[in-house]
Amino acid sequence: MIEYNEKSGLFHLSSDTFSYVLAVRDGRLLNLYYGDPLTPGTDLSYLLSSYYQVSSFEQIEQNLPLELPSVGTGWYGDPSVQAIGPDGNNITKLRFADYKILPHKEPLEGLPSVGVGSARLEKDETLEILLKDELTGLQAILSYTVLDSALARSMRLVNAGSDELLLTHMASAGFSLPSRRFEVLHLRGAWARERHIVRTPLGQAQVRIQSQRGASGHEENPFIALLAPETTENADPVYGLSLVYSGSFLAEAQVSPFDSTYVSIGLNPMTHQWHLAPGETFQCPEAVLVYSHEGMNGMSQIYHRLYRDHLCRSEWAGKERPILINNWEATYFRFDERKLLSLAKKASSLGIELLVLDDGWFGVRNDDRRSLGDWYVNPEKLPHGLSGIAKKVGELGMKFGLWVEPEMISPDSDLYRAHPDWCLHAPGRSRTEGRHQLILDLSREDVQDYLIRVLTSVFSSADISYVKWDMNRNMTESFSALLPPHLQMETQHRYILGLYRVLNTLTEAFPHILFESCSGGGGRFDPGMLYFMPQTWTSDDSDAVERLKIQYGTSLVYPASAMGAHVSAVPNHQIGRVTSMNMRADVAIGGNFGFELDLDRLSDQDLATAKAYVQKLKDLRRLTARGTFTRLISPFETNYTAWQFADEKRVLLCYYRILAEPNPIPHRVYLKGLEPSALYQIDEADASSLPESFRSVFTGSALMEAGVPMIWDKTGDFVSRTIVFHKVN
Ligand code: DGJ
């Protein structure tokens, strides 16, 4: 709900879970409150005078809860918006001019956003606040939409003046909280260990979480949260900011000398500048703010619902995903049609529904040194082409999927020989290769058009039901051969806009294809990519134990339906660990379930276990994709991990022990969010390996308050158990 109180001049944005109150004072837009819901009509204008009880003008500016701080006004922190005029001065003084309340949320030009298109929400009233800099003519239009329990915020910058402006700071959202007693929560990592949960006290410091790589990156996710030191998974406040963008970003928390904290998220000023000619508009990406007083799980569940149901536009967003087998870790580049069909045959006998042909099917790509860009079939590997293999896979009762890495170009490729200037590169500098490849310059329309053409032809050349869209290196020379020198700092953002145009065109042209994004595993696991593709390959690290942390961390913001999770071979190819088929499958249950190993090398026993899991997953996948996901025990804190999925009828409890313990302490796991008086019974199949006493009926309150004793039927390291509870009344 959005209310404007004429008398107090306050804007009150609210839902069942939060209130967000804005005020205008001396033309400045101030954030008076963000937190638990306030009674409708609450007037907070009494707070205003307190900000002025400091001694000088610049102290006032630093003390005020500015919504959009800028330089040259007495604010000495990092600005959220800054425009440099033709005379070189960067003073940016934006003052309130007007507002309007729109009945609906508008899509963002050229950018993905929540709750538009097919993923529309019923109620999405939008407040637009117009701020103007009278001298330069710069206008900022701040948009706020209440989306269920979240708040979408974005900013449009318009040059209504007569001179060109250089935009150097363009945050998407920021707000101030009257405390410095926060910890910063973010998702830190690297290749093969993405999105580990890190929580650090803010103290009086400035904390920056960022990417400058031209991709959201493995190292940090475009997300930051502030929480109280006492906040747990299930209680106390947390403020999350998540950016719907796939390129370089900056999220920061700044503590003022008056102990307030300004937190913001948006484009990274280190990598993004934009020239705004008179009459032009620049649209900043959207940020999604979530407040919860029900701890981190409370915040995550709001993000999960919103991103699952109102971000992904694909017709696959709400559908059950096929159980797949991917040939990458089974064969790497060494495969031919015969091998793929043997894999498919075995897979089909296990009930697997989709074969994904990964890297190496095109050009002369028999290793990772060449052929990216040459998107035509290698006839030695696939003598009957893509249509031939797809048809034969189809005859086995399975669907066929294909890997592509369209944003890249190998120097050793026909495409590069024909168009050496089509990659990102800087005059006079060598072209830095990563995995022997360069990046196509997607800021160029001719390159975008080429990709649309060539991929349209590949995707229509066979019966392709699924596409894995990979991207395996980050930007180094972020320069474009077509842009003049003064626009080169726009290359990264123009690239992302170009990528979004290509993705938009292709996903609209092939609505039946299930697209999965990937970037050396989870190097671009962000809401921007999820808008086009409803699932992402979570990490190249498929070791079951490492995956506990990766999937647990990823779930802080992203729903399980967005995560690809595969059972791979042992010893694990990334770290050499050996875990049982049960443990690997029990971990993969936490995402879109699949396999990535050579089925021809599995023992009969492992094949039988794999087959049983495929059956089990067909029964459980609706629950894991659409049920409410709750983290129960953290792998970052203990030797155990536990999580649950729950819908109206069932609860799936998954728990894991990493290392064996001598003379073990009996542990319990406490379920969450059940109806206290409802009755639950353990699924027969799961109860058969539990003590007799588990074959009874439990109340929700027992499962939540007294807990479930963790029972292990195996000794040794890396063991797991999953239990389904059926609601019986
Ligand atoms: C990186 C991906 O993350 C892997 O799954 C695989 O597709 C390789 N690229 C192929 O080169």
Side-chain angles (χ1 to χ4, degrees):
M1 189 156 78
I2 299 177
E3 288 171 310
Y4 176 64
N5 185 322
E6 299 268 351
K7 206 165 123 248
S8 62
L10 301 190
F11 298 95
H12 187 170
L13 299 97
S14 61
S15 78
D16 291 350
T17 54
F18 74 87
S19 282
Y20 191 95
V21 180
L22 294 166
V24 178
R25 181 78 181 248
D26 301 331
R28 291 174 179 78
L29 185 64
L30 306 176
N31 185 309
L32 286 192
Y33 178 83
Y34 186 20
D36 285 324
L38 300 170
T39 309
T42 300
D43 182 358
L44 293 183
S45 42
Y46 67 92
L47 292 172
L48 281 164
S49 57
S50 64
Y51 299 111
Y52 292 83
Q53 285 162 10
V54 288
S55 57
S56 64
F57 84 92
E58 79 269 27
Q59 306 229 4
I60 291 175
E61 195 84 3
Q62 289 168 63
N63 193 21
L64 282 171
L66 298 171
E67 183 81 347
L68 190 66
S70 57
V71 158
T73 59
W75 162 269
Y76 298 106
D78 286 350
S80 275
V81 60
Q82 177 165 284
I84 301 182
D87 59 0
N89 101 58
N90 66 350
I91 300 167
T92 308
K93 220 171 180 171
L94 287 158
R95 296 294 179 251
F96 178 83
D98 203 358
Y99 79 94
K100 52 184 173 198
I101 297 175
L102 308 168
H104 281 303
K105 184 173 191 286
E106 294 297 326
L108 269 54
E109 172 133 35
L111 289 165
S113 59
V114 173
V116 296
S118 54
R120 204 129 230 142
L121 275 116
E122 241 171 67
K123 280 194 218 136
D124 54 359
E125 253 188 336
T126 298
L127 168 67
E128 284 198 351
I129 294 186
L130 172 66
L131 304 159
K132 287 185 180 173
D133 184 331
E134 291 301 344
L135 190 70
T136 60
L138 178 71
Q139 299 187 347
I141 297 136
L142 306 183
S143 298
Y144 300 83
T145 310
V146 178
L147 297 167
D148 284 345
S149 301
L151 182 63
R153 206 345 259 272
S154 66
M155 174 163 73
R156 230 155 57 230
L157 294 165
V158 179
N159 185 347
S162 47
D163 293 310
E164 183 168 284
L165 298 170
L166 173 63
L167 303 175
T168 60
H169 290 71
M170 302 158 267
S172 294
F175 55 87
S176 178
L177 295 168
S179 167
R180 69 168 177 82
R181 240 188 103 252
F182 288 114
E183 294 185 355
V184 171
L185 181 73
H186 58 118
L187 292 170
R188 175 97 185 131
W191 173 78
R193 51 180 165 83
E194 297 93 335
R195 290 173 298 286
H196 283 200
I197 296 180
V198 175
R199 190 171 165 163
T200 13
L202 181 57
Q204 311 228 7
Q206 178 171 353
V207 171
R208 297 173 138 235
I209 310 297
Q210 62 175 327
S211 160
Q212 300 182 24
R213 304 169 164 268
S216 44
H218 294 90
E219 291 69 17
E220 290 288 354
N221 199 255
F223 164 79
I224 187 171
L226 295 181
L227 28 68
E230 63 276 13
T231 299
T232 61
E233 277 286 11
N234 303 301
D236 292 321
V238 52
Y239 296 86
L241 297 87
S242 157
L243 191 67
V244 187
Y245 191 63
S246 311
S248 304
F249 69 90
L250 172 67
E252 59 181 335
Q254 309 178 58
V255 178
S256 83
F258 297 96
D259 281 0
S260 60
T261 302
Y262 183 75
V263 59
S264 58
I265 196 162
L267 296 179
N268 194 327
M270 284 296 291
T271 42
H272 294 116
Q273 293 186 353
W274 199 266
H275 286 259
L276 203 60
E280 282 182 353
T281 298
F282 181 82
Q283 175 66 62
C284 302
E286 180 167 274
V288 178
L289 316 185
V290 169
Y291 166 79
S292 171
H293 69 198
E294 290 175 354
M296 293 181 278
N297 268 322
M299 173 192 72
S300 301
Q301 287 165 0
I302 295 172
Y303 276 124
H304 293 174
R305 274 198 308 275
L306 191 71
Y307 284 173
R308 188 187 57 210
D309 300 338
H310 302 293
L311 172 66
C312 304
R313 282 181 331 153
S314 158
E315 62 179 47
W316 278 96
K319 281 196 199 158
E320 290 178 11
R321 311 289 163 77
I323 296 177
L324 63 80
I325 175 139
N326 178 306
N327 77 310
W328 178 241
E329 290 197 13
T331 66
Y332 295 103
F333 295 101
R334 291 178 303 281
F335 62 84
D336 55 16
E337 192 184 89
R338 201 189 46 78
K339 176 68 196 168
L340 294 174
L341 288 175
S342 132
L343 206 58
K345 209 164 165 197
K346 204 150 243 173
S348 130
S349 74
L350 301 185
I352 295 173
E353 299 156 311
L354 169 77
L355 172 82
V356 178
L357 171 53
D358 210 280
D359 198 352
W361 58 267
F362 51 92
V364 278
R365 192 154 164 98
N366 297 320
D367 55 34
D368 63 8
R369 308 184 82 86
R370 66 203 90 244
S371 292
L372 289 171
D374 297 345
W375 299 111
Y376 39 81
V377 171
N378 178 341
E380 277 171 32
K381 289 181 177 172
L382 299 173
H384 306 101
L386 289 176
S387 58
I389 176 95
K391 191 160 170 277
K392 289 178 189 158
V393 169
E395 282 160 9
L396 292 168
M398 292 171 75
K399 303 271 183 205
F400 177 71
L402 193 67
W403 177 98
V404 286
E405 193 181 1
E407 297 161 68
M408 299 291 150
I409 179 165
S410 307
D412 183 1
S413 66
D414 293 344
L415 186 68
Y416 190 76
R417 284 183 280 274
H419 298 286
D421 62 332
W422 271 17
C423 64
L424 293 173
H425 64 281
R429 303 261 177 216
S430 57
R431 300 174 179 199
T432 309
E433 291 179 23
R435 205 191 189 208
H436 315 287
Q437 62 202 50
L438 299 166
I439 305 182
L440 276 176
D441 180 359
L442 263 71
S443 74
R444 297 172 58 140
E445 218 172 307
D446 53 351
V447 175
Q448 298 162 25
D449 289 342
Y450 162 79
L451 276 188
I452 292 169
R453 239 184 2 258
V454 77
L455 293 171
T456 301
S457 143
V458 172
F459 298 164
S460 345
S461 69
D463 192 1
I464 294 172
S465 308
Y466 161 106
V467 165
K468 177 175 174 190
W469 182 293
D470 205 349
M471 192 282 281
N472 280 303
R473 61 157 293 186
N474 292 146
M475 293 181 191
T476 41
E477 294 82 23
S478 309
F479 294 89
S480 171
L482 286 197
L483 290 175
H486 74 288
L487 297 187
Q488 289 295 347
M489 284 292 285
E490 299 184 3
T491 307
Q492 281 208 7
H493 186 59
R494 285 174 182 267
Y495 178 100
I496 297 293
L497 293 178
L499 169 66
Y500 287 157
R501 178 178 163 241
V502 172
L503 291 177
N504 201 47
T505 312
L506 291 170
T507 52
E508 277 185 5
F510 297 93
H512 67 283
I513 292 185
L514 167 60
F515 283 87
E516 172 155 347
S517 86
C518 172
S519 173
R524 211 164 49 180
F525 202 130
D526 59 61
M529 294 310 284
L530 282 178
Y531 176 82
F532 300 102
M533 311 194 187
Q535 59 189 60
T536 303
W537 179 225
T538 313
S539 175
D540 272 350
D541 194 336
S542 53
D543 169 68
V545 175
E546 287 302 306
R547 272 300 185 111
L548 290 175
K549 285 186 177 161
I550 295 169
Q551 292 175 199
Y552 198 93
T554 304
S555 78
L556 204 59
V557 184
Y558 305 98
S561 61
M563 295 184 219
H566 300 171
V567 174
S568 63
V570 289
N572 175 265
H573 291 193
Q574 289 76 37
I575 62 168
R577 184 179 280 136
V578 176
T579 52
S580 67
M581 176 62 81
N582 288 72
M583 172 76 175
R584 281 174 278 155
D586 280 343
V587 174
I589 280 181
N592 293 310
F593 189 83
F595 293 86
E596 187 149 342
L597 76 182
D598 190 349
L599 295 174
D600 292 333
R601 291 172 177 223
L602 286 193
S603 66
D604 287 347
Q605 196 191 336
D606 273 354
L607 278 175
T609 311
K611 187 169 184 173
Y613 269 95
V614 171
Q615 287 318 312
K616 179 165 162 171
L617 252 294
K618 285 183 181 167
D619 172 42
L620 285 178
R621 66 182 154 185
R622 179 120 205 108
L623 171 61
T624 56
R626 311 238 12 117
T628 302
F629 176 85
T630 309
R631 292 177 299 273
L632 301 174
I633 301 177
S634 170
F636 297 100
E637 289 161 17
T638 69
N639 187 31
Y640 301 86
T641 301
W643 53 57
Q644 71 171 54
F645 293 89
D647 64 15
E648 319 71 55
K649 295 196 183 121
R650 293 186 294 180
V651 183
L652 167 66
L653 166 65
C654 308
Y655 58 80
Y656 312 87
R657 185 183 68 205
I658 299 168
L659 295 180
E661 289 172 342
N663 195 7
I665 297 163
H667 286 288
R668 291 185 200 176
V669 53
Y670 300 87
L671 304 195
K672 298 284 174 214
L674 312 188
E675 268 176 59
S677 57
L679 299 177
Y680 295 85
Q681 201 164 17
I682 292 181
D683 191 86
E684 251 180 67
D686 298 334
S688 61
S689 61
L690 287 165
E692 189 61 36
S693 57
F694 279 72
R695 260 156 255 170
S696 76
V697 173
F698 312 89
T699 60
S701 63
L703 299 174
M704 293 191 291
E705 306 305 333
V708 180
M710 288 198 232
I711 307 285
W712 309 102
D713 55 357
K714 288 189 192 70
T715 51
D717 298 337
F718 322 131
V719 288
S720 58
R721 186 186 280 280
T722 59
I723 303 176
V724 174
F725 295 87
H726 296 275
K727 203 165 145 198
V728 289
N729 62 340

